[in-house]
Structures are given as structure tokens and as C-alpha cells.
Amino acid sequence: MNRVVVTGLGLVSSLALGREDTWAAMLAGRDGLGPLTRLDLPAEPAQIAGQVPLGPLRHQTLCGRMALLALEEALDGFQPGGDATRIGVFQGAGTSGLPVAEAYLMDRLAGRRGHAAEPAYQGPCTVTDALAHRLGAEGPRSTLMNACSSSLLALGQAWERLAAGELDLAVAGGAESLCRTTYAGFSCLKAVDPGKCRPFSRDRAGLNLGEGAAQLLLEPLDRALARGATIYAEVLGYGASMDAHHPTAPHPEGEGAARAMTMALRTGRTEAAEVDLVSAHGTATPANDGAECLAIRRALGPAADRVSVTSTKSQFGHTLGAAGAIGAAAAVLALRDQTVSPTLRLEEPDPACDLDCTPLAAKERTIRAALVNAFAFGGNNVSLALRRWEGA
């Protein structure tokens, strides 16, 4: 089995349009949440979101724009060559081209003809196709719509193909933009906090929605070394499980989530005692955070008492299909810089979340290995294991 490393990383967020500016803002404790302006939804009680400072175009969804920006940053001038059939693109998708379809529908409802060709070419695979076209990739193309675990599952599947020797290069990640349908849906479920979300807090009241994109360039270690690529971290493996419990609520004992983390450690041949960081799903919903902390304890055992946990949802809101990739990007940067980004607004931790959830300020510490979690409706649990790169 090939060792697989991260050799490129692009990040577009509500804090900044680039990796290093976003990371610096996270470590400084800056907040990417603000007044909702992209959508006009005056009847919704929650008017807060994490919005990327880009305006959408009619002929290309915001998802596509963010994904391509992130890809260019991940490539950093590298133009992949060799056998194009051994380059794959793996993407997680949530709303994908839905905002464009919404715009078309609004035109029709207003009595205008609309542009039927726009939604026809803005399906879930549009972003994946655009990335593949940019790369000249002719290998496998995968667009995963597994709700909020989509992009982390995409990373896991990319790792699987590379580790098996089936590919020489893969781009994996996700992009998500705000749209009315998802906003109204989460509001209907009473899962949205009218104020700013507070993961792991005693008084947490739900999530905020956000948008953004992250793209990771993955390749076998030997090829990365041969071309002198910058190596950010090593991908060790991943785990995926189902709760088979409830359409929207996680299992209260965190059983399925714990199995996903345990599986990630087992495939990565990593001991729980080596894990120093968990980039948590951490949505700030009352049901999720306690169950996730319990799952971390189940998976790591006594090692959970010294692990750092953090939630990127406190900076960006919940970016749904992109959330797993954004959490992975933050974990990769934490491994590189040996610093954990903070969980914002964690003033009074919930006793049910009795782990070090990195309240309020970034924390420098030794980070050898990290787990990244992404959980989704239907009880879909994915966990990715990463290790710090310390040289060959």
C-alpha cells in the first residue's frame, strides 16, 4: 500500500480568499460570521451566516468559483503531467448548483422566461467537471452527496485509490454556497441559532450556515518526493459508518461516530495515544456536540483526556458539503504549525462536553496525529486520520 501525502492546499472562506490569510485569521480568533446579506429572507429568525466575499455570477455558480480558486491555490503553479487517466477528482457536494436553479425558478415565478440552459448545466457534478477540465484529468470522477460528511468522504475515497496504486494524483475537497432551500430547511428543523453559534457551550442553541471551499492535492509519497513537492501532512486512512438510528439526530451514545474514528485509526495503523487533535464536527446543536464528545471518549479511551478538540463551525458556520474538507484543511495547517485553532465563544463549556475544546484562544502544542470528523443526517459518520510530516 502506498503512503499518501498532502502536497497542495487551497482554502476559500468567509474570513479570506486564501489559505494563509484564513489560517492567520483563525489563529487570531477572528470571526467569519456576520449579517446575512446574500439571501433576502426577512421572515427567517436567523440573520447570521458565514459569507465568502465574492459575488455570484449567473453563468457559474459560486460553488464553482470558490472551488477553482481553491484549486489554483492548491496547485501553486504546478501543472500535472504524465498519464492523465491516472489523475482523479473527488468532490463532496451539498447544494451545488441549486442557487442557479433557484434563480431560474424565481424568474419563472415572476413571469419571466428565464434561461433554461443555466440550471441544466449546474447539476451536482458541475464543480467536479470544472476541476477535472482545469487539470486535464481523465481518471475517475466522483461527486458525493452524502450531506454534511460529503467532502470528507471524498478525501477518504481519494486516499483509498492512491494508496491502492490506482492513481498518481487526486484533487479532493468540496465547495458550498448559501441557498434558500437549505437555509429554510435547517430553520424549519429549529437547528439554527438566531445568534452566533457556540460549539460545546452549555447554552448552545444551534448552528449558523456558511459557505466556502477547500481543495487538497493528494499524491503518493514517492512521487511527491521525486518532484520535490511541498508536503503538508500525511493521510493515514479513514473510517465510515452508519448510525441506523434517526433521520436527523445522531445516536445519543455516539456509537457510530466512535466506530468511524476507530476505523480511521485502524486503517491508518495509528494508536489512540498518538492522536493530539480532533477537528470536530462540532455544529453547536444540542444533540451533536455531547454525542461527539462521548464518541471521542469511546474511540480514544484514556487518551481523550489529553487531546485538543476544536470546531471550525465557530469561525465559518456550517458549510455542509464543504465542511469536512474545511475541517481537514484546518487540521493539516495545525499539524504543520503545531497550533490548534480556537473554538470561538466557548465561554462556559457544557459538562457533557468534558474535553479540552480549545476555548477562545489558539493553543500551541505538540500535534503528532489528528482526526477530522464529519457527521451527517441519516447517521452518516466519516473520520479521517492525518499525521504530521517530519521528512522522509
Side-chain angles (χ1 to χ4, degrees):
M1 179 175 287
N2 289 327
R3 294 174 69 183
V4 177
V5 290
V6 180
T7 55
L9 176 58
L11 187 55
V12 173
S13 77
S14 56
L15 283 169
L17 298 181
R19 176 186 66 235
E20 300 304 330
D21 286 346
T22 293
W23 182 237
M26 291 177 70
L27 296 185
R30 284 178 49 201
D31 185 356
L33 298 173
L36 174 67
T37 58
R38 191 178 300 287
L39 304 177
D40 183 19
L41 299 170
E44 295 293 344
Q47 294 293 320
I48 291 173
Q51 298 171 124
V52 167
L54 287 171
L57 295 174
R58 293 279 290 177
H59 294 281
Q60 187 180 32
T61 67
L62 183 56
C63 296
R65 295 181 66 196
M66 293 188 293
L68 286 167
L69 280 173
L71 175 61
E72 292 302 332
E73 185 175 42
L75 290 171
D76 192 24
F78 170 57
Q79 182 56 49
D83 185 352
T85 65
R86 291 179 61 84
I87 302 174
V89 180
F90 301 81
Q91 292 294 297
T95 59
S96 190
L98 191 55
V100 174
E102 282 186 341
Y104 173 70
L105 178 61
M106 296 300 287
D107 278 345
R108 298 290 292 180
L109 292 175
R112 296 185 290 270
R113 181 175 180 180
H115 301 279
E118 290 183 359
Y121 289 97
Q122 299 293 337
C125 302
T126 303
V127 170
T128 314
D129 291 344
L131 297 177
H133 182 75
R134 164 62 184 87
L135 290 167
E138 299 177 5
R141 181 198 77 167
S142 179
T143 305
L144 297 162
M145 299 190 75
N146 212 45
C148 304
S149 63
S150 299
S151 55
L152 199 62
L153 188 57
L155 277 159
Q157 291 193 351
W159 167 82
E160 211 161 33
R161 302 294 292 270
L162 288 159
E166 297 172 1
L167 296 175
D168 296 333
L169 182 73
V171 170
E176 188 73 68
S177 66
L178 296 170
C179 81
R180 293 174 179 81
T181 302
T182 49
Y183 209 96
F186 277 92
S187 182
C188 182
L189 290 169
K190 302 186 186 304
V192 182
D193 190 335
K196 292 186 176 181
C197 66
R198 299 173 298 285
F200 310 117
S201 295
R202 184 193 294 269
D203 66 344
R204 66 187 182 278
L207 54 82
N208 306 126
L209 290 171
E211 55 191 18
Q215 298 297 333
L216 284 78
L217 204 63
L218 308 181
E219 56 188 307
L221 174 60
D222 58 348
R223 295 185 68 90
L225 291 174
R227 72 176 182 89
T230 298
I231 297 177
Y232 289 84
E234 182 173 1
V235 183
L236 300 174
Y238 82 108
S241 70
M242 278 285 291
D243 282 354
H245 167 68
H246 190 274
T248 59
H251 192 287
E253 300 297 321
E255 291 180 356
R259 278 190 285 111
M261 285 184 264
T262 301
M263 191 185 307
L265 294 175
R266 186 170 64 249
T267 58
R269 300 177 182 178
T270 302
E271 299 295 328
E274 298 177 72
V275 176
D276 296 308
L277 168 66
V278 176
S279 181
H281 190 55
T283 57
T285 58
N288 176 84
D289 293 4
E292 183 169 12
C293 288
L294 188 56
I296 292 170
R297 285 204 171 278
R298 283 177 177 271
L300 300 186
D305 286 326
R306 38 158 297 281
V307 77
S308 290
V309 179
T310 188
S311 170
T312 59
K313 308 294 190 299
S314 66
Q315 282 96 7
F316 310 124
H318 195 344
T319 53
L320 306 179
I326 289 175
V332 166
L333 295 170
L335 286 161
R336 182 193 69 177
D337 294 347
Q338 299 290 280
T339 306
V340 183
S341 57
T343 302
L344 304 182
R345 296 176 293 282
L346 181 50
E347 301 280 355
E348 186 178 359
D350 186 341
C353 304
D354 59 344
L355 301 171
D356 176 6
C357 294
T358 323
L360 305 178
K363 181 178 182 178
E364 294 183 9
R365 61 163 295 170
T366 298
I367 310 174
R368 296 162 295 169
L371 288 174
V372 183
N373 289 339
F375 309 142
F377 282 171
N380 300 298
N381 311 294
V382 180
S383 188
L384 185 77
L386 302 166
R387 186 188 300 280
R388 181 188 186 190
W389 175 249
E390 297 182 279

